[in-house]
Amino acid sequence: MTAFRQTGPTTATATLGITTDGTGPVSITVSWFTGDTAGQPGTADGASQTFERSGATQYTLSVDHTFQNLGCYWTVQATTTPAAADGGASQQLLTRRCDLR
């Protein structure tokens, strides 16, 4: 996961960098979550999105999402098939609409 940023009151963009050890097909699944606790993914927000890539060893993927549920924290998780050696990646951000004191 190279970047995850809020782009609007209910929208965000995640940018993923994927490096493979061959040019065979790879499937990337991106899942979104909302919650109120830092460090926890929270509740799934909408359906996961799956993208198929092949023919290269490096890919950059930008994915947009409109959040349906409220939550101070948004999380994006990415997994691959075949599975990545590190098990995948995730990032979390504190939304601009939340002011924790």
Side-chain angles (χ1 to χ4, degrees):
M1 192 88 46
T2 58
F4 181 38
R5 65 185 180 88
Q6 184 173 354
T7 56
T10 61
T11 57
T13 297
T15 304
L16 296 80
I18 299 102
T19 301
T20 65
D21 58 7
T23 59
V26 62
S27 175
I28 305 111
T29 299
V30 180
S31 304
W32 307 88
F33 303 86
T34 60
D36 289 320
T37 305
Q40 302 296 320
T43 304
D45 188 273
S48 297
Q49 299 163 273
T50 300
F51 304 89
E52 304 287 336
R53 298 290 185 267
S54 64
T57 58
Q58 293 188 330
Y59 308 95
T60 300
L61 184 64
S62 291
V63 185
D64 298 324
H65 183 72
T66 300
F67 286 88
Q68 305 300 313
N69 299 314
L70 296 177
C72 285
Y73 293 94
W74 293 347
T75 302
V76 59
Q77 291 182 343
T79 57
T80 60
T81 304
D86 64 3
S90 69
Q91 280 193 6
Q92 185 177 71
L93 61 81
L94 174 63
T95 65
R96 291 191 297 252
R97 69 174 169 232
C98 286
D99 182 16
L100 301 180
R101 294 172 195 234

